Amino acid sequence: MAVSSARRPTLAVVGATGSVGAVLLQILSQHADIWGEIRLVASARSAGRKLSVRGQEVEVVALEESVFDGVDVAMFDVPDDVSAQWAPVAASKGVVVVDNSAAFRMDPDVPLVVPEVNPHAARVRPRGIVANPNCTTLSMIVAVGALHAEFGLRELVVSSYQAVSGAGRAGVETLRAQLSLVAGTELGTSPGDVRRAVGDQTGPFPEPVALNVVPWAGSLREDGWSSEEMKVRDESRKILGLPALPVAVTCVRVPVVTTHSLTVHARFQSEVTVDRAREILATAPGVVLFDNPAAGEFPTPADAVGTDPTWVGRVRRSLDDPTGLELFVCGDNLRKGAALNTAQIAELVAGEFA
Amino acid sequence: MAVSSARRPTLAVVGATGSVGAVLLQILSQHADIWGEIRLVASARSAGRKLSVRGQEVEVVALEESVFDGVDVAMFDVPDDVSAQWAPVAASKGVVVVDNSAAFRMDPDVPLVVPEVNPHAARVRPRGIVANPNCTTLSMIVAVGALHAEFGLRELVVSSYQAVSGAGRAGVETLRAQLSLVAGTELGTSPGDVRRAVGDQTGPFPEPVALNVVPWAGSLREDGWSSEEMKVRDESRKILGLPALPVAVTCVRVPVVTTHSLTVHARFQSEVTVDRAREILATAPGVVLFDNPAAGEFPTPADAVGTDPTWVGRVRRSLDDPTGLELFVCGDNLRKGAALNTAQIAELVAGEFA
């Protein structure tokens, strides 16, 4: 595409009215303003609404082919099937699509990009699409990627503590409604008492999430795996460029509004030291090392929510393996886990139009 | 000790007024009644209170040496320092002590017993004391032990989702008070908002537990490990009779009242199949296999609380290791995790008096 170096690129935000869309508009208002026009796109139902971005009210337009006319970069945050249909339409018009659905993440012709880990991958995009990873992968991969660059990752075992906003606004509303039902009660001490109190108000979750943890996220895949677990494994491998990396994952939903946490057991090619691991994490872009248990310092969702970096703490060398490290990691699933990484990829790509 | 086979053994419950003590009295009232006298013992402060056991009111007596006169078996559920002082006093009077503190668990002359896993160990007790494991270890070890007996365990990586009642009544009251503060609010979306709402009402926890998860349980040990994590590793090794087993653990507190959950990544000596693992778990004593994700079946604390067995679900073969299994396990930390296992050990020992 011939672009004058003076022109600032035009951005479309597709899915501007969703919960990730809302955070995207916030981030676009906070980051250095590199964009020319910002066009807000959503379903026909939401067309005509006005949303604020960069301090201005912008009217939402309905998704159709013509909205991509003159657009340089489009961020998509819409359901998988909508992305599958519309991202290629936009790409065919020369738009670089940054897609936050699962539709293209494992397509070998679509790079899966985390700017702190594999920024180079964003330059090679045969289909004109760059994919944004799943929020659970994103909540830990910046920290893991920094350690991998130094030590060479050999194996990963992770368990998630996933926030309800990973299931969208319905997830948040469900937890809040359930908390109102159980607060001020003596529930949580006999079989099924929480379930009876919650009744059929389980929203997008298979079980109550208040006063409970639920070892399920996503849909059922082969051999008892959840789609969320397969994403964490397959996407980690692709981002790190380690297609045969052994990855074990169990994904669990917890009663936290926003910010995913993960325990990470990582084994490397050679011996590691906690001191060197801390140095790496303390200086890695996009990572905050918060790790002083003697002073009561370790990351929790209550600290990390609403912030950009991946918070890392509880850094220990594995007791029985000098090549292993144990970590506890927190990342805001709506920011780095979705909107922020999408914005970072778009900004990376925008550099090509300068 | 010469005991007539007609006489039923005398039991002392030391720490009868605590939260585990309350569950112990419940269990003693539900199980087959093998005991003669049951003597209830607590601190001088609680002496004179009456508690119900086996449908009768029994007056609590103050802990002193004479309370062990004529006692055959004593269950201790008291702080570590009280056990350290008083268990040897009772043992010196010929009492078999079943101790639920951490004071003797790693003593090589004290067996650490889980009746479904290593019942034989209870017979060899040079100090007259049998130790009951920590609640987090107990919440998973019956399932792990059953698989170990078949496949031979080679490595364990576990992450916990620990209930607040693991920190006693103060833990439960703290979560309930915090839930009343956050329910009906929009909290959980900006940094520190939950912390500000909770203020200094964090009770026994270093951070808010409502709308949060806290990667810390116990006290600080060397190299950044928590005491709870060291217990899970050291006790698992001792119970399974695998003193060199590599064990990686991260312990995390979650806003659940009662029932600890754990993710388990277990590697065995040879190839495993999910079918055989399910058969073992479906028939192992003390285990409930609840594992049909297609029907929405997997264990959660809301199901397992108030029940005796270890609930196991999400049984999968590791994606990248034919010798590995992934599990999600739930166990009531006050029942199997404390009172039930203590009662089971005492009943095992009582058999010697028959």
Side-chain angles (χ1 to χ4, degrees):
Chain A
M1 201 188 309
V3 181
S4 123
S5 67
R7 190 172 74 76
R8 297 206 293 178
T10 297
L11 175 71
V13 179
V14 183
T17 56
S19 57
V20 172
V23 180
L24 260 176
L25 301 191
Q26 223 181 73
I27 289 171
L28 287 169
S29 307
Q30 292 162 343
H31 280 203
D33 185 13
I34 61 164
W35 303 104
E37 184 191 352
I38 295 183
R39 206 169 288 176
L40 304 186
V41 184
S43 64
R45 207 182 27 170
S46 297
R49 278 181 60 187
K50 290 197 171 158
L51 296 175
S52 172
V53 60
R54 298 186 296 186
Q56 292 178 323
E57 297 289 293
V58 177
E59 188 170 318
V60 175
V61 297
L63 178 58
E64 55 182 62
E65 194 172 334
S66 62
V67 302
F68 298 109
D69 291 342
V71 169
D72 298 296
V73 179
M75 300 166 166
F76 273 63
D77 194 86
V78 293
D80 294 356
D81 57 332
V82 180
S83 274
Q85 183 186 345
W86 286 95
V89 171
S92 73
K93 302 188 81 166
V95 178
V96 179
V97 174
V98 182
D99 182 47
N100 190 30
S101 82
F104 300 100
R105 287 180 191 144
M106 297 317 295
D107 185 324
D109 288 330
V110 173
L112 185 64
V113 175
V114 180
E116 294 89 343
V117 181
N118 62 342
H120 51 280
R123 294 200 157 258
V124 184
R125 37 178 198 260
R127 299 192 59 181
I129 302 170
V130 181
N132 191 62
N134 167 270
C135 54
T136 310
T137 312
L138 271 172
S139 297
M140 59 116 182
I141 201 71
V142 177
V144 169
L147 294 168
H148 166 57
E150 171 91 4
F151 297 128
L153 192 63
R154 190 160 57 95
E155 191 187 351
L156 210 48
V157 182
V158 303
S159 296
S160 75
Y161 301 68
Q162 295 187 222
V164 295
S165 62
R169 283 186 177 142
V172 176
E173 283 160 16
T174 297
L175 174 60
R176 288 193 173 137
Q178 291 181 357
L179 284 181
S180 294
L181 292 169
V182 304
T185 71
E186 304 281 301
L187 292 167
T189 57
S190 67
D193 63 359
V194 170
R195 189 188 312 272
R196 284 189 296 276
V198 163
D200 56 4
Q201 297 190 45
T202 57
F205 309 115
E207 300 289 331
V209 282
L211 294 180
N212 208 16
V213 300
V214 181
W216 193 262
S219 53
L220 181 61
R221 294 299 156 91
E222 271 178 64
D223 299 323
W225 292 88
S226 72
S227 56
E228 190 83 355
E229 289 158 351
M230 295 305 295
K231 286 176 187 174
V232 172
R233 182 241 204 176
D234 295 342
E235 296 179 18
S236 296
R237 287 173 155 195
K238 183 168 176 176
I239 296 161
L240 297 169
L242 296 170
L245 183 73
V247 182
V249 201
T250 298
C251 287
V252 180
R253 191 76 67 181
V254 297
V256 164
V257 176
T258 293
T259 292
H260 289 350
S261 307
L262 297 102
T263 59
V264 176
H265 170 75
R267 296 171 73 207
F268 298 92
Q269 298 297 343
S270 56
E271 204 161 312
V272 296
T273 68
V274 165
D275 285 349
R276 183 68 191 125
R278 279 185 215 268
E279 270 176 32
I280 294 163
L281 294 167
T283 54
V287 174
V288 165
L289 178 68
F290 190 58
D291 187 27
N292 185 356
E297 290 179 1
F298 24 77
T300 75
D303 303 311
V305 62
T307 72
D308 286 348
T310 302
W311 292 56
V312 185
R314 302 298 325 279
V315 182
R316 292 148 292 156
R317 192 160 87 162
S318 302
L319 287 163
D320 306 310
D321 178 356
T323 71
L325 285 174
E326 318 294 337
L327 314 170
F328 186 78
V329 178
C330 294
D332 184 316
N333 53 300
L334 300 181
R335 293 183 74 89
K336 184 60 183 176
L340 174 64
N341 200 68
T342 301
Q344 286 176 300
I345 297 171
E347 288 160 4
L348 196 63
V349 169
E352 299 174 25
F353 295 94
Chain B
M1 200 188 310
V3 182
S4 126
S5 68
R7 188 173 76 76
R8 298 207 292 178
T10 296
L11 175 71
V13 180
V14 183
T17 55
S19 56
V20 172
V23 181
L24 261 176
L25 300 190
Q26 222 182 74
I27 289 171
L28 287 169
S29 307
Q30 293 163 344
H31 281 201
D33 186 13
I34 61 165
W35 303 104
E37 184 191 350
I38 295 183
R39 205 170 288 175
L40 305 186
V41 185
S43 64
R45 207 181 26 170
S46 297
R49 279 181 60 186
K50 289 193 172 164
L51 296 174
S52 173
V53 61
R54 298 185 296 186
Q56 294 177 324
E57 298 287 292
V58 177
E59 187 169 319
V60 175
V61 298
L63 177 57
E64 54 182 61
E65 194 171 336
S66 62
V67 301
F68 298 109
D69 292 342
V71 169
D72 299 297
V73 179
M75 300 165 167
F76 273 61
D77 194 86
V78 292
D80 294 355
D81 56 331
V82 180
S83 273
Q85 182 186 347
W86 287 95
V89 171
S92 72
K93 302 187 82 167
V95 178
V96 179
V97 174
V98 182
D99 181 48
N100 190 29
S101 81
F104 301 100
R105 287 182 191 142
M106 297 316 296
D107 185 324
D109 288 330
V110 173
L112 185 65
V113 175
V114 181
E116 294 89 342
V117 181
N118 63 342
H120 52 277
R123 294 198 157 259
V124 185
R125 36 178 200 258
R127 299 192 59 179
I129 302 171
V130 181
N132 190 63
N134 168 268
C135 55
T136 309
T137 311
L138 271 171
S139 298
M140 59 113 184
I141 201 72
V142 178
V144 169
L147 295 168
H148 166 58
E150 171 91 2
F151 297 128
L153 192 63
R154 190 160 54 95
E155 190 186 350
L156 211 48
V157 182
V158 303
S159 297
S160 75
Y161 301 68
Q162 296 188 221
V164 295
S165 62
R169 283 187 176 142
V172 176
E173 283 160 17
T174 297
L175 174 60
R176 288 194 173 136
Q178 291 180 358
L179 283 181
S180 294
L181 291 170
V182 304
T185 71
E186 304 281 300
L187 292 168
T189 56
S190 66
D193 63 359
V194 170
R195 188 188 311 270
R196 283 188 296 275
V198 163
D200 56 4
Q201 296 190 46
T202 57
F205 308 115
E207 299 289 331
V209 282
L211 295 180
N212 208 16
V213 299
V214 182
W216 192 261
S219 52
L220 181 62
R221 294 299 156 91
E222 270 177 64
D223 299 324
W225 291 88
S226 72
S227 56
E228 191 82 354
E229 289 158 350
M230 295 305 295
K231 287 176 186 174
V232 172
R233 182 240 202 176
D234 294 342
E235 296 179 18
S236 296
R237 288 173 154 195
K238 184 168 176 176
I239 296 161
L240 298 169
L242 296 170
L245 182 73
V247 182
V249 201
T250 299
C251 287
V252 180
R253 191 76 66 182
V254 297
V256 164
V257 176
T258 292
T259 293
H260 290 349
S261 306
L262 296 100
T263 59
V264 177
H265 169 75
R267 297 170 72 205
F268 299 93
Q269 297 296 342
S270 55
E271 204 161 312
V272 296
T273 68
V274 165
D275 286 350
R276 184 67 191 124
R278 278 185 215 267
E279 270 174 35
I280 294 163
L281 293 167
T283 55
V287 174
V288 165
L289 178 67
F290 190 58
D291 187 28
N292 186 354
E297 290 178 1
F298 25 77
T300 75
D303 303 311
V305 63
T307 72
D308 285 349
T310 302
W311 293 56
V312 185
R314 302 299 323 281
V315 183
R316 292 149 290 157
R317 190 160 89 163
S318 303
L319 287 163
D320 306 309
D321 179 356
T323 71
L325 284 174
E326 319 294 336
L327 313 171
F328 186 78
V329 178
C330 294
D332 185 316
N333 53 301
L334 300 181
R335 292 183 75 89
K336 185 60 183 177
L340 174 63
N341 200 69
T342 301
Q344 286 175 300
I345 297 171
E347 288 161 6
L348 195 66
V349 169
E352 299 173 26
F353 297 94

